[in-house]
Amino acid sequence: MTKSVFSMCGMCTVRCPIRVESEDNKVTWIEGNQHLLGGALCAKGSAGPALVADKERPQQPLIRVGDRGAGRWKKVSWDTALDYVTDKLKKIKEEHGPESVVLSSRGGPWQNMYKTFIHAFGSPNYTNHDCTCGRNTHHASLSLNGVGRKGFIYDIKNAKHLILFGRNMFSSLRIAENLQTLDMLDNGGKLTYVDVRQTMTGLKADRFFQVRPGTDYALILAMIHEIIKRDVYDHDFVKQYVSGFEELSTFVEQYTPAWAAKECGIKEKAIHAFIDDIIPVMPKVIFHPGWNLSRYKDSFYASRGLHILNVLMGNIEQKGGLIIPKGPGDCGVKGIRSLDCAKPDIKRADGVGWKYKHFDKGPGLAHLFFEAMEKEEPYPVKAWITMRHDPFSGMPDPQRQKASFDHCDLLVAIDTHYGEFSWYADVILPESTYLERESTICVQKGLKPRLAVRKKAIEAEADTKPAWWIFKEFAKRLGIDEYFPYDTIEELWNWQLEPTGFSIEDFDEKGFISLTDDPIMYDPKNLEGKFATPSGKIEMISKKLTDAGLPSLKEYESPLKPEKGMFRLVYGRSAVHSHGHTTNNPLLNELMPKNSLWINTRVANKLGIANGDLVDVAAEDNSYTGTMNAHVVDYIHPEAVYMVHGFGKHIPLQSRSYHAGVSDQKLMVGKLDDWDQAGGAINLCESFVHVRRSVQNLKRRVEL
Amino acid sequence: MNKYMIYLNSKRCIGCHGCEVHCKSVKGLPVGPFLCEIDHKAVPSVKGFPKTEFTFRSCYHCDNPLCVPICPTDAMIKRADGIVYIDQEKCIGCMACATACPWAIPEMNPDTNKAVKCDYCMDRVDAGLKPACVTKCTTHALKFVTMQEV
C-alpha cells in the first residue's frame, strides 16, 4: 500500500518542504510540497533514497579501538555507546567541571534541543557552524539594524532589481528563493551579479561585475557614494529611522566610482549605468546582504555596506524589499513550546560575552575554542560533542585542529554519515536519515508565518536513531531528563502544540500549519521599536563597535596581491552537492565525483596548463598538496583559483569520495586564527596557494 | 502523430541536473544509465560577458522510430499516443535498439541487463500526472506539452 507523508528535506540545511511516498518501507517518490514549491525539488532532494540505501554510512554505534583517526572501530549497541559517553561525561564533569564540555551543531530550527542539553548539563559552551557561514552578515545586521540576519526576509518576487555580491544562489539552491528570483526575471526584473568568476547565477544576470578578489567592499562604498551624491536615497526613511547619516556621507566622499572601478578592475561607466538602472525602480531594489560571507578580511564591513544600501533604498517593509518576518504573535496565535534551559552563569570558553562583548552570545564562535583548548584558558576543554557538524570539513587547517582536539578526553560525533571529524572521534552515534526520523515542530517566520514539522517516511533501515531519542537517552543517564519532558515523539509534539490549540493531525492536509490567510505587513511609516539598537534607530555608528575599539565605518584597505606563481584560493558550492555531506552519495557522486581547479585561461597558458591537465595545488607553506584536474576558463579573475568545497575526504569506508578531489580547508594551513575581529567569522578566502602543472601528467609509460 | 513532448524554457533553466536525478530516482536506476540529460553549452559572449545555453534531451519518441522494427523480440513498442517504450519482460538486452537509434538513446541497465529509455513516465501520464523530470524540475523550466491539432 502506498503511504504518503509531508515532511522536510534533509539533504542540505535549506530544509525544503517535501512529500514522500513509500511502499513496503521503501521510498518510491519524493517531490517538493505542491502547496509551497509546486513540486520542485533539486538533484540532492531526489537522491535521498540513495542515502538511505547507502551501506557506506554508519550502520550502528561505533567506539574507537585504535588510535584517533586510525579507523579501527568496535560495533556496539546503543546502550553500550550511550553508557560509554555518559560515564565519560560524568567523570569529566567531576574532574574539570561541566563547563569543560562543548557541544557544536549546525544552525537552524532545532538548535534549542542541543542547547538545552548542554546547558542542563551545566556548560555554557554551545556553539555552531556559523563562524564559517553567516556570522559576519548576522553581526553586520545586528550592529546596524539591531536585529540579526534573520531579522529580514527578502521579497524578491516583487522586486525590480536584485543585487547579489558573490551570492551564487543558483548553485546554493534554496528552491523557494530561486523560484522567486526567476519569477522576478520573468516579470521584467533585473539581476546584477558581482563575483570573481562567472557562475550559474551570473549567467542569468543582466549585469555582471567581475571584480578583483577581495574588493567587494570598494564597489559597495562607491555605490553608497554615488547614491548619496546623486541625492536619490529615500530622504524620508533616513530622516525618520537613521542616525549617523552625516558621518556616513562624509565617510564615503572619497570613494568615487572612478576610484572603485580602478580598484575592482571594472568599468566606471558600468557603475554609473547600474545606478541609472536602479533609481527609477526604488524602493523595489534588494541588495542581498550576503549569506556565507565569511570570506575576506573586510566581509563584515561589506555586509554592513550592503545593509546600508538597503537603508538608502528605503526598502524596509516595502513590497519588493526587505520585510520583517512575522511570527505567531502577529497572527494573534500563541507560539509553540520549545525545549529550553537557561544558560549557566559561567564564562564561555570562547571568550564571547566577556572578552568579546560585541558578538552575539547565542552560539558564540566555534573557532575561538581552539586557543582555549590549547592554553586551557579560561579553563580546560575536555570533551566536544558534534551534532551534524564537522569541524574538520567546515573550518580551516584540520591538522592544527587535531592537535587541539587531542587535549580532549572525549570526542563524540552524531551524524547520518561519516565525516572527517567523526572518523577522528572516539564515539560515532549514527543518526537516522531525514527520511527515517522525525524532528521537533518549528516556527517558520515570514510574510505568512507557519508551523512546520519533519515526519518520518519509513522506518530506519540500519540501527540508527533520531536526535530527539539520542538526547533524551543522554539526559536520562545524566539525571537531567526533566528538561526533556517526553518519551515518544508524539508526546513531544503534543507538548509543543498544547498552547496553540493545534494538533499534529493539522499538518496532514498540506504538510504545514498556516497561521494566517493573508500576508502580514507592518506600516512602513510606523516602524518605531522594530530596530533593537540602543537608540532604536538604524545606527551608522554602533556604540558596541566603538566600545570594542572597532570602527563602524572602516577605511578601505586594498587586498593583498598573490605572489608570483600563487593564487588566492576561493571556494564555493555546486548545485549537486551539499558540501561534504553528499560527495559519497552514489547518485550525486555520479554527477560530480571530483572537484576541479578553475583557473584563468591567460594565466594557465603561461604556466603551461591545458584544460583537464592535472595540477598540484599546494598550501602557502607547502605542508599540504592536492592533485586535481584544471578547469581552464576565461571568466575567472587571474588572481584567483576556485574549487567546490566538500571534496578531498580521507575516509576509507566512503569508497566513492575517498581521496576524490582536493579539500580547500586542508590548503588553508595556519588560517584558523585568521578571523574577522569585527564580524567574528573566519576569513575563508584569505589563503594563497601554489599551482603548478603536475608531474603526474603522463608523458610515457612502461610496464615491467 | 506524437501527442506529447517535453519543452525546456532555457531562460528558467539553471543547469542543476535535477531532472536527471528525478528520472533515475523514479526509475530506480543504478549508477550508469541516464534517461535524460541537461547540456551546458557556452555561447559567444553577450555584451562582453559569458552566457550559456541549456538544452534538454531525453528520447525523441520519433514518428517513425528505427528502434521499434529492429527489436528482435518486439519489446520496443510505440503506443497510439506516440510514446515509445520497452516492455521489460520481453527485452533480452541485445541493444539492437541503441545501434538503430541515430542518437543511441537506449542504454543498458547494469542491474537488469536490459535496455532502458525514457517513456515519459507513462504510468504517471496514464494516471493524469506528468513525467518525473517535469513534475520536480527545480525551477519549473521543463514543461510537458500535449499537442493539439489545429
Side-chain angles (χ1 to χ4, degrees), chain B:
Chain B
M1 173 74 187
N2 283 351
K3 195 174 160 193
Y4 307 111
M5 67 171 284
I6 291 175
Y7 158 77
L8 175 71
N9 178 354
S10 175
K11 270 188 114 170
R12 280 188 82 97
C13 179
I14 55 167
C16 71
H17 298 271
C19 46
E20 296 173 6
V21 184
H22 302 330
C23 169
K24 291 194 71 147
S25 175
V26 77
K27 296 289 182 195
L29 293 175
V31 169
F34 281 93
L35 307 194
C36 65
E37 259 177 15
I38 283 283
D39 207 28
H40 302 209
K41 189 171 156 258
V43 292
S45 63
V46 181
K47 289 184 201 161
F49 288 108
K51 291 281 173 187
T52 293
E53 265 302 303
F54 301 105
T55 49
F56 174 84
R57 182 200 62 73
S58 63
C59 168
Y60 296 101
H61 299 270
C62 304
D63 277 340
N64 292 302
L66 298 175
C67 58
V68 172
I70 202 89
C71 178
T73 60
D74 296 331
M76 190 70 81
I77 299 161
K78 187 169 178 74
R79 306 204 315 184
D81 61 6
I83 294 177
V84 180
Y85 75 100
I86 300 167
D87 182 337
Q88 291 290 315
E89 298 281 304
K90 289 189 193 161
C91 178
I92 53 168
C94 69
M95 301 311 290
C97 49
T99 317
C101 173
W103 302 278
I105 278 174
E107 286 184 63
M108 173 71 87
N109 178 348
D111 276 2
T112 60
N113 286 327
K114 293 182 181 196
V116 279
K117 67 177 266 314
C118 164
D119 60 3
Y120 281 161
C121 293
M122 61 184 190
D123 296 346
R124 291 179 54 80
V125 171
D126 292 344
L129 302 167
K130 290 170 185 162
C133 56
V134 174
T135 309
K136 295 161 63 170
C137 172
T138 314
T139 58
H140 303 314
L142 287 171
K143 299 277 176 235
F144 191 53
V145 182
T146 304
M147 316 273 221
Q148 287 173 334
E149 301 258 353
V150 281

Side-chain angles (χ1 to χ4, degrees), chain A residues 186-204:
Chain A
D186 278 351
N187 294 330
K190 288 197 168 182
L191 178 63
T192 291
Y193 187 71
V194 185
D195 206 333
V196 301
R197 66 178 188 112
Q198 179 60 302
T199 66
M200 278 299 158
T201 313
L203 289 177
K204 298 290 170 192

Side-chain angles (χ1 to χ4, degrees), chain A residues 668-686:
Chain A
M668 298 178 189
V669 176
K671 291 293 174 181
L672 197 56
D673 292 329
D674 191 342
W675 60 281
D676 194 317
Q677 303 291 322
I682 305 178
N683 303 330
L684 294 172
C685 293
E686 292 287 357

